[in-house]
């Protein structure tokens, strides 16, 4: 069993990844500044003697170096980020600090302290608005937001560090991740987290467009499993891979599942499509299967059911 360092451990994906690492018997050291993460996401993890959490900002010089030097992990799973595309547009300097500078500091700390592997939270946002579906890793990279640009730059920083030797880097290009602990706070949060909150409150959801737009929605449990595989499996080589299901789910499909659980909630309100919205997004999952042995397992309807039943 290994020692794994997780940045953004109190976040949506970070907390599920931490839970899974602990369940598999690893020792985990997490860091989070609790800006968008929450200590309550780690309620179970914090009961484990194999887990510790530092409350600190990984983009601040010296923080990562100090924590990595002390813990001496075999791998770093770098999930700390500014997670809102909208916020990256409003505050590009903050996006750069949290999504690029922090990555440089992760790479530097790994090299300074002999960490052998980094797993990085990249995003389908690096592809931009492509209509050539399903999207393969070879597709043109044309990010249309500071967020997407920063994720692409971070991949480059980490893969260059790996090319210098002694380090394996796996960049995970997540598609539309959903599940328990995702924050529905803003109108730009992930659509499923917003719908979940609205149905719980007994209020109708708003569908922008006709609801026939599709996304490659993937359960956070599958994403956490992909992270753990990439951090702990032997024999991996550096590279990038989509983390997706390869299956398209429409918003109407999603609404149908919620509606069946909440028959008393009024039907959705229809509103004009959001400007800049893409109609369809779908990833090719084959490379993750070939290079990591990872394939998504949780059907969307089942994961939605779990989310709806969760407290
Ligand atoms: C994601 C980003 C978005 C970015 C886009 C770039 C997130 C949460 N969103 O959007 O910021 O601009 O990639 O390609 O990371 N919808 C509704 N009702 C709602 C909320 C959303 O109908 O209350 C619709 C949206 O208009 C969209 C679909 O649901 O058609 C999915 O929205 P979202 O979850 O924001 O994901 P992306 O569109 O992939």
């Amino acid at each position: 069993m290994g020692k794994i360092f997780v940045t953004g451990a109190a976040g949506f994906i970070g907390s599920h990844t931490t839970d899974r690492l602990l369940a598999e018997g690893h020792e985990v050291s997490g860091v989070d500044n609790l800006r968008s993460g929450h200590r309550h996401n780690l309620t179970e993890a914090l009961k484990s003697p194999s887990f510790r959490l530092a409350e600190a900002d990984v983009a601040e010089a010296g923080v990562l170096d100090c924590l990595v030097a002390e813990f001496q992990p075999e791998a770093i799973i770098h999930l700390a980020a500014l997670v809102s595309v909208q916020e990256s547009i409003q505050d590009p300097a903050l996006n750069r600090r949290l999504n690029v500078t922090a990555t440089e500091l992760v790479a530097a700390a790994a090299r300074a302290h002999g960490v052998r592997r980094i797993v990085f939270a990249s995003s389908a946002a690096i592809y931009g608005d492509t209509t050539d579906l399903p999207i393969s890793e070879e597709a043109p990279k044309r990010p249309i937001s500071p967020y997407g640009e920063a994720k692409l730059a971070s991949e480059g920083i980490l893969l260059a560090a790996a090319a210098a030797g002694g380090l394996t880097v796996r960049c995970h290009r997540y598609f539309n991740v959903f599940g328990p602990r995702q924050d529905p706070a803003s109108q730009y949060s992930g659509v499923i987290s917003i719908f979940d909150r609205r149905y719980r409150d007994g209020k109708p959801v708003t569908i922008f467009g006709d609801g026939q737009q599709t996304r490659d929605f993937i359960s956070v449990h599958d994403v956490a499993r992909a992270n753990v595989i990439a951090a702990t499996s032997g024999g991996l080589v550096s590279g990038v891979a989509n983390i997706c299901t390869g299956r398209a789910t429409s918003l109407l499909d999603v609404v149908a599942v919620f509606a069946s659980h909440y028959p008393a909630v009024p039907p959705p309100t229809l509103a004009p499509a959001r400007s800049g919205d893409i109609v369809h997004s779908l990833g090719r999952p084959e490379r993750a299967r070939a290079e990591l042995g990872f394939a998504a397992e949780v059907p969307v309807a089942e994961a939605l059911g779990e989310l709806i039943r969760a407290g």
Side-chain angles (χ1 to χ4, degrees):
M1 293 304 123
K3 289 167 78 173
I4 315 292
F5 187 81
V6 180
T7 76
F12 166 48
I13 297 176
S15 62
H16 285 282
T17 301
T18 297
D19 285 346
R20 186 160 189 109
L21 286 165
L22 292 171
E24 292 193 10
H26 300 287
E27 192 181 338
V28 182
S29 172
V31 60
D32 203 299
N33 62 358
L34 304 181
R35 184 179 176 275
S36 53
H38 304 281
R39 197 168 266 276
H40 61 71
N41 286 343
L42 292 167
T43 303
E44 285 308 308
L46 285 164
K47 292 178 189 162
S48 167
S50 301
F51 179 62
R52 66 176 103 160
L53 178 69
E55 192 179 326
D57 178 359
V58 295
E60 201 172 293
V63 165
L64 274 168
D65 190 72
C66 186
L67 291 170
V68 171
E70 192 205 335
F71 187 56
Q72 293 288 314
E74 277 113 57
I76 298 174
I77 305 182
H78 178 40
L79 307 173
L82 180 132
V83 296
S84 161
V85 172
Q86 204 54 34
E87 205 175 355
S88 81
I89 296 165
Q90 283 153 7
D91 193 344
L94 183 65
N95 171 66
R96 178 146 284 274
R97 181 172 178 276
L98 299 185
N99 287 346
V100 181
T101 306
T103 306
E104 288 168 340
L105 292 168
V106 167
R111 291 198 66 78
H113 303 292
V115 179
R116 306 296 302 273
R117 191 170 301 180
I118 298 173
V119 180
F120 171 60
S122 186
S123 168
I126 68 165
Y127 298 116
D129 189 0
T130 175
T131 48
D132 189 10
L133 303 178
I135 305 170
S136 90
E137 289 82 355
E138 308 298 329
K141 317 299 177 294
R142 298 194 198 101
I144 53 173
S145 64
Y147 174 86
E149 276 174 26
K151 289 295 182 184
L152 187 56
S154 286
E155 286 192 358
I157 290 162
L158 293 172
L159 291 168
L167 175 68
T168 302
V169 164
R170 294 298 318 178
C171 298
H172 285 174
R173 295 174 178 167
Y174 304 139
F175 278 62
N176 289 66
V177 186
F178 74 101
R181 306 177 193 160
Q182 191 171 28
D183 192 353
S186 101
Q187 60 173 316
Y188 297 103
S189 297
V191 64
I192 290 177
S193 67
I194 294 173
F195 282 9
D196 184 51
R197 167 66 64 83
R198 298 284 297 178
Y199 274 98
R200 271 175 206 281
D201 292 347
K203 295 180 181 150
V205 298
T206 301
I207 294 179
F208 299 119
D210 61 8
Q212 297 194 51
Q213 63 264 54
T214 58
R215 295 291 183 273
D216 192 328
F217 291 111
I218 180 166
S219 163
V220 71
H221 299 302
D222 275 326
V223 168
R225 192 165 54 80
N227 290 343
V228 174
I229 290 171
T232 62
S233 302
L236 300 184
V237 295
S238 294
V240 303
N242 292 338
I243 300 298
C244 60
T245 67
R247 286 183 292 273
T249 304
S250 74
L251 274 199
L252 293 178
D253 294 336
V254 170
V255 164
V257 176
F258 277 105
S260 70
H261 283 81
Y262 295 98
V265 175
T269 309
L270 295 183
R274 279 179 179 172
S275 71
D277 216 1
I278 56 173
V279 182
H280 299 295
S281 171
L282 182 66
R284 283 191 72 117
E286 286 83 2
R287 193 187 285 188
R289 187 190 284 273
E291 295 188 1
L292 296 173
F294 167 78
E297 286 170 356
V298 189
V300 169
E302 189 181 297
L304 280 174
E306 184 221 333
L307 177 64
I308 291 165
R309 286 188 300 273

